[in-house]
Amino acid sequence: TMPALQHFHACHADTRITMLSRPLLEPLWAMHDAVDATIPLVPTVAGMREAIAQVRQAGPQTAFLFPNSWRSALVPFFGRVPCRIGQ
């Protein structure tokens, strides 16, 4: 994910990047130069609802899905992100 993120950021430096990640990985993404914000995805129903609410509030136009998991795809779908790219 990091090489893809670095390449995307190099090509689109003005784009704001928010990472949806497991809570344990949030400190890692917070240190990454390309990441502007993180949203934790706690692996519970309540955690998914909270992540969906935060995605809706942020209002992103595009979501890039790196992991091959349904849970990762559900948050942008229910968060009403209009363009979803990936698995």
Side-chain angles (χ1 to χ4, degrees):
T1 302
M2 283 194 181
L5 184 62
Q6 289 169 317
H7 179 73
F8 180 83
H9 182 64
C11 294
H12 307 278
D14 294 336
T15 300
R16 180 172 166 79
I17 297 174
T18 301
M19 290 295 293
L20 178 68
S21 73
R22 294 180 182 185
L24 290 174
L25 296 177
E26 277 191 282
L28 174 70
W29 291 116
M31 292 187 310
H32 199 289
D33 291 342
V35 176
D36 297 301
T38 61
I39 295 174
L41 179 55
V42 178
T44 64
V45 173
M48 184 172 281
R49 285 184 183 145
E50 179 60 29
I52 290 167
Q54 288 184 39
V55 168
R56 283 184 183 171
Q57 184 179 14
Q61 295 302 304
T62 305
F64 290 95
L65 307 171
F66 290 105
N68 187 17
S69 83
W70 282 98
R71 185 177 62 200
S72 297
L74 286 175
V75 173
F77 177 78
F78 287 119
R80 300 182 183 140
V81 178
C83 180
R84 297 175 303 274
I85 300 167
Q87 299 293 336

